[in-house]
């Protein structure tokens, strides 16, 4: 009953959408449909996925129950097909322009063609379509990863391959590869306000497209964490869009970029919230690498095509920290066990930081010194024996959270991490808009947003 | 060594491509790369697919060996990623227009933007991108079908769902929904040369997009048949494109449609030929529903966006015959066993038509009469007992081929079917161009090709 009512409300929202924020109203309708569809389909696919053997073990529960795996592909595919239906609504104002006044579209090939060349924003449509080619490629490669256990050094580049259609369309279609130089001082030093980056800019966009999906895929392994961190990041990006809606004139180019961003994010949040419901502690489904890549790529697409990829990176600070924090283990300076997930204690049902042990291979003096300093700074937890470090917590943000606040039940652990994420994001958002004002000056801020900030 | 040489030749072809047929020369280069890549990757994935359990049994061999299944997804994905890299080459002439004369692209946002709105064929780019969204959707839904065993009545509509992005972009972007009325006589009767079909036209395009992929998926089950029929149909379509290249002026709209078609088909033939090598008798890999849907959708996309979907249907005559021939069994008039594949005789290694038996449930008098008439026409093979029909060959083109020419070894059977396909296609192609001249008149033929023939 509630679902039917929601769908009716969604259809009403879509069909009555009007005025400047038409795209946003319609996207809210699509978000509701996405939520209801995901919520409807996921529980009905659980047995099918288990029967077909797409399963994983939940190691942090008593008895290590079998949970269906890769279920995040369902909201991802629902999202894509919703976004196809969204096309006529997103490009509505241009469609209406091409009528003969009576509400009918123009007949006759020649007339329609001439008008459409002038009025229809094909360059925006191509961007939009290239975004979805990239997202579909992400899903296909994510499925391959989930099903075929691709090696780590290969899977790291999956998002780069998936980003190719977007970058190529960007190249033939838009081709803007300069960035704004911050502060008047530096601008006068360079004698210009823009730096032409050329091919380097494609390298940078590729790096963003590699980093965002992988960073979400790495901060994972706790019930609900993949989905809830994605919802938090998506919400922060949407909040950032709203800042522009409330502070910029409606015809500024920044508004168009952020309308595009919000229109993609709102339905994304719809399907992701429904998935979170099933992925939250105790998880009834696992989401799979596919969903992590997909989420990260939604953010990368929005950041790159909306020209605010640096703002995106600000919202990924916990993920960036997690990555840098992991480097000593990934680089082999500190031993790296096969799994670095926190340790589940069956007796009290709580999670404890998991430890890397090196009793047999003692650390050199420099790494030991660094670990001792980090330990003083409360950034690692070390266990010593006879004056030597024999264990250190595995270097992930999840374990560090447990060092700070643990032991915690799994859902508290997840909630703590995403609260940090939300808090850091909100502080960064405030700083970014205050500093942006200071760095670029008020006028430039909004002009710049259409280029790249 | 041969592969390396081929790749070098391909790169040379791509980079030296020039003049009017630049797109075709580049697409030949991409076809070679697609062939080499598919030929390289498939054998290296066989063990992986078997280990992961993506396998099927080859029922028409001694010992029913285990064969990796769904391998057609590899050429399909390779094709897509090649076609992304193809974008700058396909839209090259427009890119070059946007330079400042010295070979450098224009700098400065505003200048570039103004020029690109006028010169860059965004409406073509959007069509191209929508085609690949549809193909990627086909792959995703095909994988779901292969992995999750979707029910027959659901899977029939998979191509319709996958076609949505293409049809929606067609709607917002092109919107031409009239067809040319054949013959001057009918044109003067209607008082116009075009009929406006409106929404009906979308129904028609949807039907083509449903029919082409399913028709290839249905004519399957013999080693090599899925791939080789696809190669034959693709070659016939390409031949049809060539007829236009040699007979039309270079600036006619028909040429542009057929350049688009050929540019998509040539790399498709490259990857498909490599797959055929492994799928041909005795099959080392099975292709899966994914590949059949994908192939059919390539043809549907080319036919719909190239505006010659009726010509496409002409090349699918064996598939259409196979479908109509199956109707009595699909509709339940004649009993339909679970599998209708031909029967393999282990002793002589030959294939025999498989039979539907209804000794227990005798046929009514009308169906019996029809079967007797069809038997006289050599369109069915019946077995009678006491003046009653007790068995009839399963109503598929494959079994009928065996009734006509059998028993045959599996590769001979496949070769016979695709020879028929090629022969019928060539006859149809000749008739179509002669009749087209007679039906539409010479001028109209080529004007019409840009609308719909």
């Amino acid at each position: 009953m509630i679902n039917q009512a929601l769908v009716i409300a969604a259809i009403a929202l879509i069909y009555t959408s009007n005025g400047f924020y038409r795209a946003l109203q319609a996207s809210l309708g699509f978000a509701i449909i996405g939520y209801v569809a995901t919520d409807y389909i996921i529980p009905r696919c659980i047995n099918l996925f288990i029967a077909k053997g797409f399963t994983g073990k939940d190691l942090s529960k008593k008895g290590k129950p079998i949970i269906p795996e890769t279920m995040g592909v369902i909201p991802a595919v629902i999202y894509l097909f919703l976004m196809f239906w969204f096309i006529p609504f997103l490009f509505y104002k241009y469609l209406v322009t091409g009528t003969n006044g009576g509400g009918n579209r123009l007949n006759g090939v020649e007339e329609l063609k001439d008008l459409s060349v002038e009025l229809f924003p094909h360059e925006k449509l191509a961007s939009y379509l290239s975004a979805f080619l990239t997202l579909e490629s992400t899903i296909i490669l994510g499925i391959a990863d989930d099903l075929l256990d691709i090696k780590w050094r290969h899977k790291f580049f999956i998002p780069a391959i998936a980003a190719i259609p977007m970058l190529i369309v960007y190249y033939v279609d838009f081709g803007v590869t300069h960035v704004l130089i911050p502060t008047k001082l530096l601008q006068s030093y360079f004698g210009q306000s823009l730096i032409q980056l050329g091919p380097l800019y494609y390298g940078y966009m590729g790096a963003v497209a590699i980093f965002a999906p992988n960073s979400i895929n790495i901060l994972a392994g706790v019930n609900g964490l993949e989905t809830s961190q994605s919802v938090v990041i998506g919400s922060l990006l949407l909040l950032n869009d709203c800042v522009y809606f409330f502070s910029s004139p409606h015809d500024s180019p920044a508004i168009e970029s952020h309308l595009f961003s919000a229109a993609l994010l709102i339905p994304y949040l719809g399907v992701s919230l429904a998935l979170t419901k099933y992925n939250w502690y105790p998880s009834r489904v696992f989401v799979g690498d596919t969903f992590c890549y997909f989420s990260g790529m939604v953010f990368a697409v929005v950041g790159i095509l909306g020209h605010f990829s640096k703002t995106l990176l600000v919202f990924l600070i916990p993920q960036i920290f997690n990555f840098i924090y992991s480097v000593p283990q990934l680089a082999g300076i500190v031993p790296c066990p096969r799994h670095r997930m926190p340790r589940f204690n069956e007796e009290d049902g709580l999670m404890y930081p998991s430890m890397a042990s090196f009793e047999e291979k003692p650390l050199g003096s420099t790494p030991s010194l660094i670990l001792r300093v980090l330990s003083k700074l409360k950034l690692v937890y070390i266990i010593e024996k006879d004056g030597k470090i024999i264990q250190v917590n595995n270097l992930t943000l999840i374990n560090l959270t447990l060092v700070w606040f643990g032991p915690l039940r799994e859902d508290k652990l997840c909630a703590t991490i995403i609260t940090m994420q939300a808090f850091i994001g909100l502080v960064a958002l405030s700083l970014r808009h205050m500093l942006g004002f200071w760095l670029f000056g008020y006028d430039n801020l909004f002009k710049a947003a259409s280029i790249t900030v």
Side-chain angles (χ1 to χ4, degrees), chain A:
Chain A
M1 269 309 286
I2 295 175
N3 279 355
Q4 279 90 323
L6 278 174
V7 169
I8 291 167
I11 292 170
L13 271 175
I14 293 168
Y15 274 93
T16 63
S17 64
N18 218 324
F20 183 75
Y21 289 117
R22 176 187 173 82
L24 296 186
Q25 188 181 333
S27 77
L28 190 61
F30 281 103
I32 295 171
I33 294 174
Y35 179 90
V36 172
T38 307
D39 188 38
Y40 181 85
I41 293 174
I42 283 183
R44 284 165 180 77
C45 283
I46 286 178
N47 289 337
L48 179 62
F49 273 60
I50 291 177
K52 292 287 161 189
F54 304 124
T55 54
K57 277 186 184 169
D58 192 342
L59 300 175
S60 306
K61 301 282 178 305
K62 280 182 187 164
K64 297 179 182 170
I66 297 279
I67 309 278
E69 181 53 281
T70 323
M71 299 264 321
V73 83
I74 293 171
V77 171
I78 290 174
Y79 173 77
L80 282 173
F81 281 98
L82 282 178
M83 296 313 277
F84 296 147
W85 287 109
F86 194 18
I87 293 173
F89 296 92
L90 199 56
F91 295 93
Y92 169 82
K93 75 172 168 174
Y94 306 95
L95 268 179
V96 167
T97 326
T99 66
N100 54 14
N104 304 308
R105 299 191 58 195
L106 285 173
N107 293 324
V109 200
E110 291 314 317
E111 288 169 80
L112 189 67
K113 255 194 176 164
D114 287 350
L115 259 181
S116 69
V117 169
E118 283 175 312
L119 299 172
F120 194 84
H122 287 108
E123 72 284 5
K124 289 241 157 45
L125 180 59
S127 290
Y128 186 88
L129 297 176
S130 76
F132 290 101
L133 278 173
T134 281
L135 291 174
E136 290 214 305
S137 302
T138 307
I139 293 176
I140 290 177
L141 295 173
I143 292 173
D145 176 24
D146 274 329
L147 294 184
L148 302 176
D149 295 339
I150 292 171
K151 282 180 200 137
W152 224 92
R153 62 176 183 275
H154 294 153
K155 67 196 267 184
F156 188 74
F157 293 100
I158 281 180
I161 299 170
I164 287 170
M166 177 175 63
L167 298 183
I168 286 178
V169 172
Y170 191 94
Y171 169 67
V172 296
D173 204 25
F174 200 77
V176 175
T177 57
H178 39 233
V179 290
L180 198 70
I181 299 173
T183 77
K184 293 269 178 242
L185 191 70
L186 280 175
Q187 283 177 12
S188 57
Y189 176 80
F190 284 103
Q192 53 192 18
S193 61
L194 298 171
I195 293 184
Q196 187 59 249
L197 289 179
L200 278 180
Y201 195 71
Y202 290 91
Y204 165 71
M205 290 190 288
V208 171
I210 290 178
F211 183 74
N214 276 305
S215 69
I216 289 172
N217 201 29
I218 291 170
L219 189 54
V222 171
N223 279 192
L225 186 56
E226 293 95 328
T227 47
S228 58
Q229 72 174 306
S230 300
V231 168
V232 169
I233 297 168
S235 306
L236 287 167
L237 285 167
L238 185 59
L239 197 61
N240 180 50
D241 296 332
C242 292
V243 171
Y244 285 89
F245 300 149
F246 289 113
S247 66
S248 300
H250 276 187
D251 57 351
S252 88
I255 285 289
E256 212 160 64
S257 289
H258 288 280
L259 269 178
F260 179 85
S261 161
L264 263 67
L265 286 170
I266 294 171
Y268 167 78
L269 289 172
V271 298
S272 296
L273 277 172
L275 180 63
T276 308
K277 182 176 155 186
Y278 295 94
N279 183 234
W280 189 257
Y281 176 91
S283 289
R284 292 169 58 193
V285 307
F286 286 157
V287 299
D289 290 354
T290 311
F291 181 78
C292 298
Y293 289 145
F294 167 74
S295 290
M297 197 58 97
V298 169
F299 306 145
V301 158
V302 159
I304 289 172
L305 295 180
H307 306 285
F308 52 87
S309 52
K310 289 200 285 298
T311 305
L312 167 64
L313 293 179
V314 165
F315 293 141
L316 293 176
I317 287 173
Q319 283 73 19
I320 294 171
F321 173 84
N322 185 48
F323 181 74
I324 296 171
Y325 189 58
S326 294
V327 164
Q329 276 194 313
L330 298 181
I333 302 168
V334 173
C336 185
R338 214 177 119 66
H339 290 290
R340 307 193 297 162
M341 280 164 51
R343 184 172 60 81
F344 174 64
N345 184 343
E346 288 222 356
E347 279 159 36
D348 60 9
L350 299 180
M351 309 293 285
Y352 291 79
S354 67
M355 307 295 285
S357 175
F358 28 86
E359 241 175 311
E360 283 144 36
K361 274 190 189 171
L363 279 187
S365 59
T366 319
S368 294
L369 180 67
I370 294 172
L371 283 184
R372 285 211 172 82
V373 173
L374 290 175
S375 169
K376 290 281 177 216
L377 296 169
K378 304 278 182 215
L379 283 171
V380 295
Y381 169 63
I382 53 177
I383 297 176
E384 295 184 90
K385 190 175 153 188
D386 306 333
K388 280 186 180 168
I389 303 173
I390 54 164
Q391 284 189 9
V392 63
N393 65 287
N394 279 312
L395 302 172
T396 68
L397 179 60
I398 298 173
N399 285 310
L400 184 60
T401 306
L402 287 168
V403 168
W404 286 340
F405 305 107
L408 293 169
R409 207 175 71 172
E410 201 174 5
D411 54 342
K412 296 272 163 55
L413 170 59
C414 181
T416 307
I417 295 170
I418 61 165
T419 305
M420 288 195 290
Q421 174 116 41
F423 178 76
I424 294 170
L426 289 172
V427 171
L429 184 68
S430 318
L431 285 177
R432 185 238 163 285
H433 283 282
M434 286 191 283
L435 285 180
F437 179 77
W438 176 75
L439 283 173
F440 301 104
Y442 188 79
D443 273 341
N444 266 342
L445 172 66
F446 296 113
K447 253 194 255 157
S450 74
I451 301 171
T452 176
V453 173

